[in-house]
Amino acid sequence: LTVSLRFCGHCSEIEIRRSLTLVGAGATWSIVQGSSDPDIADSRIFRILSGNVIFIGLGIRDGATESVGGGIWNLGSLTLENSTVSHNIGGDGGGIMNNGTLILIDSAVSHNTATNAVGGGIYSVGDLILERATVSDNESEPGGGIFSGEAGSALTRTLLTNSTVSG
């Protein structure tokens, strides 16, 4: 199942305002993408405003915004399990911008780009917990893979590799 979002006129994303669990068939089978053509992607995929949100077995890709979080902008509590966030472009936090609590378990954040400054894969100013996660092949200046400020971060059996810092 692939869901392609195409917003005409004014750009928008899927806003989540309450607790939700979304279970897919696996990150390669259940995909939510900003556009079937990444060259014309013009919106972030998800903005989580509040609640406890859990994504299991999803691929989130091809989102784009000049603002923060090309794939996801999290302001609540988000858990990604057995999921991927890839090929997104954001001003800061190319893959994910985290202002709340972000937990990644057995998930990957890869091939994302931050065009303004920091956090090609993840830009976090909230709590960040990664367990058995992979953050790879992301690009920004600085914090190619992860840029984490202000709040706490915990990484357990997590692989950080092949991310690029330019500038």
Side-chain angles (χ1 to χ4, degrees), residues 16 20 46 48 51-55 60 72-81 85 96-98 100-104 127 129:
I16 299 173
L20 167 77
F46 290 104
I48 296 152
N52 184 21
V53 177
I54 302 169
F55 294 156
I60 299 162
I72 301 169
W73 184 7
N74 176 46
L75 296 128
S77 176
L78 172 63
T79 300
L80 293 169
E81 187 172 338
V85 178
I96 303 170
M97 173 66 199
N98 178 46
T101 298
L102 176 63
I103 302 169
L104 274 68
D127 292 323
I129 300 168

Side-chain angles (χ1 to χ4, degrees), residues 5 30-31 33 42 50 61 66 75-76 87-90 114 129:
L5 306 174
S30 299
I31 299 166
Q33 65 185 37
D42 62 359
S50 60
R61 69 179 191 205
E66 293 179 7
L75 296 128
H87 298 94
N88 299 287
I89 300 170
I129 300 168

Side-chain angles (χ1 to χ4, degrees), residues 2-8 12 31-45 59-64 70-71 86-89:
T2 299
V3 177
S4 293
L5 306 174
R6 184 95 188 232
F7 301 99
C8 300
S12 187
I31 299 166
V32 183
Q33 65 185 37
S35 172
S36 59
D37 181 353
D39 292 332
I40 60 170
D42 62 359
S43 179
R44 114 179 17 96
I45 311 297
I60 299 162
R61 69 179 191 205
D62 299 327
S86 64
H87 298 94
N88 299 287
I89 300 170

